[in-house]
Amino acid sequence: MPRALITGVTGQDGSYLATLLLEKGYEVHGLIRRASSFNTQRLDPIYRDPHESGVRFFMHYGDLSDSGSLVNLIRGLEPDEIYHLGAQSHVKVSFEIPEYTSDVTGMGTVRILEAIRASGVQTRFYQASSSEMFGLSLPPQDETTPFHPRSPYGVSKVFAHWMTINYRESYGLFASNGILFNHESPRRGETFVSRKITRAVARIKAGIQETLYLGNLDSKRDWGYAPEYVEAMWLMLQHETPDDFVIASGEAHSVREFAQRAFEHAGLDSERHVRIDPRYYRPAEVDHLMGDPSKAFRALGWKPRTGFEELIELMVDADIQLLDDELSGRLVSQDRDH
């Protein structure tokens, strides 16, 4: 039974990847930070179905800022594969906490790579690189496009990306970088623009909210569906040799288009509800990201299956259903109280 370790297991990608690996017969271990409140709701489908995970899913407390815990964990588990997804991943927030972002997102990767080297464990390592590394570089962006990051997050990801390559070349580690462009789902964090939009659509449709405030509506991004993108991560570590791959849809759409389609799907007019708030602009904007995933298609046989409009529709439907469930739960609770 292959054994995998996932950092960032409680996030969108980590939860989908854990499910994928369990379906493929893996024993899955996740790294989680100790906090005063639980942050494992994305893993509820695994916990709800014991038959799905059996005794093959385990959580371990640790931190990307603590090299000792990482060495001990990797040496003790001897995982066949390590998927490093953990990071401070919010671009806007990285401007407010650049030092923390650099330490966790950048140095956290070095600590894991060094833990692999120092422990001598034979494993395959996946590093979650990001399209934000390209920044001002002209689209389409592929594996040979120069990096020009425009945020502390993007800069930290460039550092982690090149350190992964350095450990691969210096120590012979099987270490691959996946340069993933925007990938969304109903499990996306509520502060990310895609989920912020679809969640607001649900609330506006229900009459709970009237206005959605956004930043730069003209920013263009390459949007994909997260469950399909974690499949690409797995494929990279099944490849014969370690390498770096762009994972993207190959087309770009603006934030404005995303919002318009989301509101239309719910029978609403975005012009009536969307307003621009300068507070949501970044100090340095990234205007246009669009990936070229042709290498991944050739080498891995991977390509996206969910289109832009289908992605938005499934996210809007999910947030409408989630809100309906929340409201129904409140009504039931109130009835019991009375």
Side-chain angles (χ1 to χ4, degrees), residues 99-121:
E99 181 179 345
Y100 176 80
T101 299
S102 301
D103 184 51
V104 172
T105 305
M107 284 302 299
T109 302
V110 178
R111 293 183 185 108
I112 294 182
L113 288 166
E114 185 61 14
I116 295 171
R117 187 199 66 79
S119 66
V121 171

Side-chain angles (χ1 to χ4, degrees), residues 47-298:
Y47 288 125
R48 278 202 305 266
D49 187 358
H51 178 72
E52 174 69 26
S53 62
V55 290
R56 294 186 291 113
F57 182 71
F58 306 90
M59 301 285 278
H60 304 268
Y61 286 117
D63 199 293
L64 294 175
S65 64
D66 181 8
S67 59
S69 67
L70 297 174
V71 172
N72 292 334
L73 182 61
I74 291 172
R75 181 182 289 132
L77 289 178
E78 296 186 349
D80 299 287
E81 298 170 4
I82 297 176
Y83 296 87
H84 178 40
L85 314 182
Q88 191 302 101
S89 58
H90 199 285
V91 177
K92 179 72 164 60
V93 172
S94 76
F95 285 99
E96 299 168 11
I97 49 173
E99 181 179 345
Y100 176 80
T101 299
S102 301
D103 184 51
V104 172
T105 305
M107 284 302 299
T109 302
V110 178
R111 293 183 185 108
I112 294 182
L113 288 166
E114 185 61 14
I116 295 171
R117 187 199 66 79
S119 66
V121 171
Q122 297 300 306
T123 188
R124 296 190 169 199
F125 176 77
Y126 171 85
Q127 158 62 16
S129 291
S130 169
S131 60
E132 287 290 331
M133 300 188 307
F134 293 119
L136 281 185
S137 297
L138 295 176
Q141 294 104 358
D142 64 14
E143 294 82 3
T144 65
T145 302
F147 297 135
H148 190 150
R150 297 270 284 171
S151 67
Y153 170 76
V155 172
S156 300
K157 281 294 186 181
V158 170
F159 174 77
H161 178 93
W162 277 110
M163 286 301 292
T164 299
I165 293 173
N166 184 259
Y167 270 72
R168 180 171 75 208
E169 295 177 348
S170 300
Y171 304 113
L173 268 59
F174 191 111
S176 296
N177 287 297
I179 308 174
L180 272 58
F181 281 65
N182 286 59
H183 46 290
E184 320 297 328
S185 77
R187 297 184 189 177
R188 188 60 142 152
E190 294 174 358
T191 59
F192 289 86
V193 68
S194 58
R195 185 74 193 290
K196 182 178 178 180
I197 291 170
T198 60
R199 187 168 179 267
V201 167
R203 292 171 62 82
I204 290 170
K205 186 175 179 64
I208 298 173
Q209 182 175 329
E210 179 61 28
T211 305
L212 168 63
Y213 293 98
L214 296 173
N216 185 1
L217 297 180
D218 296 319
S219 290
K220 291 185 177 181
R221 293 292 185 269
D222 187 320
W223 314 85
Y225 187 36
E228 296 168 4
Y229 282 47
V230 301
E231 292 175 12
M233 299 177 187
W234 178 77
L235 287 170
M236 287 180 214
L237 295 199
Q238 313 317 305
H239 195 51
E240 293 179 1
T241 55
D243 206 345
D244 308 319
F245 297 92
V246 162
I247 303 299
S249 74
E251 60 181 63
H253 299 273
S254 67
V255 174
R256 188 188 308 276
E257 290 177 77
F258 195 109
Q260 288 174 340
R261 183 63 197 129
F263 278 88
E264 286 172 4
H265 183 62
L268 300 169
D269 181 3
S270 62
E271 296 294 327
R272 292 184 55 191
H273 301 284
V274 175
R275 300 290 182 270
I276 294 176
D277 187 336
R279 290 179 300 173
Y280 294 116
Y281 277 82
R282 303 175 185 176
E285 287 286 333
V286 174
D287 296 320
H288 195 174
L289 296 176
M290 183 178 71
D292 176 1
S294 55
K295 179 181 176 180
F297 177 70
R298 291 193 309 269

